[in-house]
Amino acid sequence: MLRIEVRGAVSKVIEVKPVTRIEGHAKIKIWLDEEGNVKDAHFHVLEVRGFERFLIGRPIEEAPLIVPRICGICYTCHHLASAKAVDAYFGLQPEDLPETANMLRELMLMGNFIHSHSLHFYALAAPDFIVGPDADPRERNLVGVIKKAPEIAKNAIRLRAVGIKITEIVGGKAVHPVTAIPGGVSKGLTEEERQKLLPDVKWAIEFSKETVELCKQLMDRYSDLVKNIGVLRTYHLGLVGNQGVHQLYHGNLRFVDPDGNVAAEFPYDQYLDYIAERVEEYSYLKFPYFKKAGWPSGVYRVNTLSRLNVADKMPTPLAQEYFEELRRTWGKPIHNTLLYNLGRCIELLECAERSLELLENPKITGPNLRVPVKPRSGEGIGVVEAQRGTLIHHYAADAEGLITDSNIIVATVQNNPAFDRLMCEESKKFIKGGQVNEGLLNRLEMLIRAYDPCLSCATHTIAGHYPLVIEVVDDKDRLIAKLSNLE
């Protein structure tokens, strides 16, 4: 809903509230000057959950079972990042675990990517392009996609179901998986289960190819938007393996600068040497930045396009073909925000291909699932790529194995500074002389949706307390008084 608050004779505040088709609750707030031009704009998150505090005092082996409840979409990523952090606390790295255990963990992650990437593209992002950014918001949704392309919508639902099926079989539950435990996994994959998954994954590869082709067509159709809105020069961050291969489960972290040069590459347990965080009083989200570049020059982005920007090649053949085409068409690095959607579809294909590779490896049904662990005091850091970007879990625990401190840096937090900057820069293009319409502001929402933000994962308190704001308005929605514990 577009809401304009009149404050005084000439100044206005424009709110896009709520931002729709994202996970969580947010609004965009835009301040106009006396001439009706944009003075400032911010992206506001309207919720806080505080999972980091929930972990304090809990046995560290419980963390992988608690943190998936942060979210109903990227639960597997939290489960696995947490499991890797707990492994590290016990002195284990992924190479110390049985090969079968790592394969099953990675397959579980692939299932979650297939589920989430297909859901986001078809249900959240695609309506803007298939139905149109200027269409009635009552039509610009999944129902509108079903009306326009019913067979595609039907297959999209089936593709999401394939990802959920993988998670359920490998992770023990369709939502909030439980099988990643300290030192490995608690459940193996039977030959019967493997045979159940193989035909679904083979079909998923074919429809994922169709999805990439569809997204390419949509990006071409709206090439003016792709080229002209949301082009933001920043650093990018993501995991890479040997020889710079795109990775989702394990690898080093790599920063590339706005010109595409490698600015840093390091083991992820050294992240504190490279990533700093700051807070702003108007947001429940933190503002991370690349420490060596400083604030605000070190603003960086994560997520699909950023992972493709930091990688030198893809690990699967079909995804590699589209990766090369993307680079030929758009160059390196790519800063066009709407192309996060195309990057997401290329990754979707990669995850379907990788799932087949894992399932066709006879070691996936092996019996060796776990190595023993011994309690000790210390810290553990685990990192995976979540659907929305790099996810960091960092725990400290005492000799009894009770968590004494925790830090969770999720992808949406790392993109938050870019959200904020985009809202200000782009709204200046769209709003002149106080003239604004919903179609223009829809484009701001499209930029936010391109990142598929997960706001319930991302929120934190500010300086240890919860801001409270009370606004009093009259019958014409004019602000009469405002009370805040931040002021």
Side-chain angles (χ1 to χ4, degrees):
M1 179 182 72
L2 174 63
R3 179 185 175 204
I4 302 180
E5 295 183 356
V6 179
R7 303 203 176 172
V10 289
S11 65
K12 293 181 179 180
V13 176
I14 299 172
E15 286 188 347
V16 182
K17 178 183 178 182
V19 177
T20 57
R21 283 183 277 127
I22 60 173
E23 196 287 322
H25 303 86
K27 68 179 180 180
I28 300 166
K29 200 164 187 176
I30 304 166
W31 288 263
L32 306 185
D33 61 19
E34 293 185 357
E35 286 75 39
N37 298 320
V38 173
K39 181 170 59 177
D40 200 3
H42 287 302
F43 176 72
H44 293 272
V45 176
L46 309 177
E47 59 190 331
V48 65
R49 303 194 72 188
F51 259 79
E52 290 165 317
R53 298 302 303 171
F54 295 166
L55 292 172
I56 305 301
R58 305 297 300 182
I60 195 166
E61 64 269 19
E62 291 184 0
L65 302 178
I66 295 172
V67 295
R69 272 74 182 173
I70 293 174
C71 180
I73 300 294
C74 39
Y75 39 78
T76 302
C77 305
H78 283 290
H79 182 55
L80 294 175
S82 181
K84 289 178 72 176
V86 173
D87 290 339
Y89 160 77
F90 286 112
L92 299 172
Q93 293 301 315
E95 53 269 21
D96 300 317
L97 272 58
E99 186 176 4
T100 298
N102 278 324
M103 293 172 67
L104 289 170
R105 286 187 180 187
E106 186 182 358
L107 180 59
M108 195 194 316
L109 185 62
M110 296 303 100
N112 195 210
F113 265 78
I114 292 169
H115 155 218
S116 181
H117 276 3
S118 58
L119 172 66
H120 177 267
F121 177 68
Y122 283 106
L124 306 182
D128 289 321
F129 300 97
I130 293 177
V131 182
D134 296 309
D136 188 316
R138 291 169 294 185
E139 296 291 330
R140 199 164 30 89
N141 49 40
L142 180 58
V143 175
V145 174
I146 293 171
K147 290 179 180 179
K148 287 264 188 178
E151 193 61 30
I152 289 177
K154 178 181 175 182
N155 284 332
I157 293 169
R158 180 183 172 188
L159 182 60
R160 176 174 174 264
V162 171
I164 293 174
K165 185 176 180 180
I166 293 172
T167 303
E168 182 174 21
I169 289 176
V170 181
K173 294 176 66 179
V175 180
H176 305 149
V178 296
T179 56
I181 59 175
V185 295
S186 62
K187 174 188 176 298
L189 185 72
T190 67
E191 180 59 26
E192 181 182 2
E193 290 169 334
R194 189 178 78 88
Q195 293 299 329
K196 279 184 181 179
L197 291 174
L198 277 169
D200 288 330
V201 168
K202 290 175 181 177
W203 174 85
I205 292 173
E206 296 306 313
F207 187 64
S208 295
K209 285 168 58 180
E210 294 180 28
T211 300
V212 179
E213 291 294 338
L214 172 61
C215 190
K216 284 170 52 186
Q217 293 171 20
L218 295 174
M219 295 301 105
D220 288 342
R221 183 185 306 171
Y222 290 96
S223 60
D224 285 346
L225 280 182
V226 174
K227 293 175 182 176
N228 295 310
I229 69 170
V231 181
L232 184 66
R233 283 177 57 84
T234 65
Y235 286 78
H236 294 272
L237 175 68
L239 284 177
V240 294
N242 292 334
Q243 300 180 328
V245 174
H246 179 281
Q247 290 294 318
L248 298 172
Y249 178 67
H250 191 59
N252 286 333
L253 285 172
R254 175 186 283 182
F255 274 106
V256 297
D257 67 19
D259 294 318
N261 303 308
V262 176
E265 185 172 330
F266 52 96
Y268 57 71
D269 60 5
Q270 298 176 13
Y271 80 95
L272 287 173
D273 294 332
Y274 297 88
I275 297 172
E277 298 177 277
R278 58 186 279 121
V279 296
E280 300 288 350
E281 67 174 17
Y282 58 82
S283 178
Y284 288 127
L285 269 65
K286 293 186 286 188
F287 288 72
Y289 58 96
F290 178 40
K291 188 180 289 187
K292 294 187 182 301
W295 176 267
S297 300
V299 167
Y300 68 92
R301 291 185 280 175
V302 294
N303 206 307
T304 54
L305 189 62
S306 294
R307 287 191 286 258
L308 299 186
N309 278 332
V310 304
D312 295 322
K313 61 181 179 179
M314 303 296 283
T316 59
L318 295 175
Q320 174 65 17
E321 291 179 15
Y322 285 112
F323 175 74
E324 291 173 358
E325 181 182 355
L326 180 73
R327 289 247 169 117
R328 287 195 302 269
T329 305
W330 295 95
K332 177 195 174 184
I334 302 169
H335 295 302
N336 308 65
T337 295
L338 291 179
L339 287 177
Y340 274 90
N341 295 304
L342 182 52
R344 186 166 290 111
C345 294
I346 294 172
E347 281 193 346
L348 173 64
L349 175 58
E350 172 203 349
C351 292
E353 289 186 277
R354 180 60 182 153
S355 296
L356 183 60
E357 289 179 356
L358 289 165
L359 286 167
E360 288 185 336
N361 188 326
K363 294 180 181 178
I364 194 97
T365 55
N368 190 12
L369 303 177
R370 187 186 182 197
V371 295
V373 297
K374 294 181 180 180
R376 63 175 192 168
S377 61
E379 299 184 22
I381 298 170
V383 172
V384 299
E385 287 293 334
Q387 295 86 349
R388 294 149 183 86
T390 307
L391 172 62
I392 302 170
H393 279 243
H394 185 178
Y395 310 140
D398 60 22
E400 300 294 321
L402 300 180
I403 296 175
T404 57
D405 196 10
S406 68
N407 188 32
I408 300 173
I409 305 179
V410 306
T412 297
V413 164
Q414 294 169 84
N415 282 326
N416 181 45
F419 295 160
D420 220 44
R421 183 181 292 181
L422 276 174
M423 292 307 97
C424 189
E425 293 185 6
E426 296 301 320
S427 60
K428 288 178 180 178
K429 297 178 185 177
F430 297 149
I431 302 170
K432 301 288 185 183
Q435 299 300 308
V436 61
N437 65 69
E438 193 157 343
L440 291 176
L441 293 177
N442 286 342
R443 286 154 172 77
L444 294 181
E445 286 193 281
M446 287 172 66
L447 294 176
I448 295 296
R449 273 194 289 274
Y451 294 95
D452 189 18
C454 186
L455 303 178
S456 59
C457 290
T459 54
H460 298 258
T461 60
I462 300 173
H465 65 276
Y466 298 85
L468 173 67
V469 178
I470 301 173
E471 293 185 343
V472 182
V473 298
D474 64 14
D475 60 350
K476 294 183 172 57
D477 206 26
R478 290 180 297 210
L479 186 71
I480 303 301
K482 177 180 177 181
L483 301 174
S484 171
N485 67 352
L486 290 178
E487 298 175 351

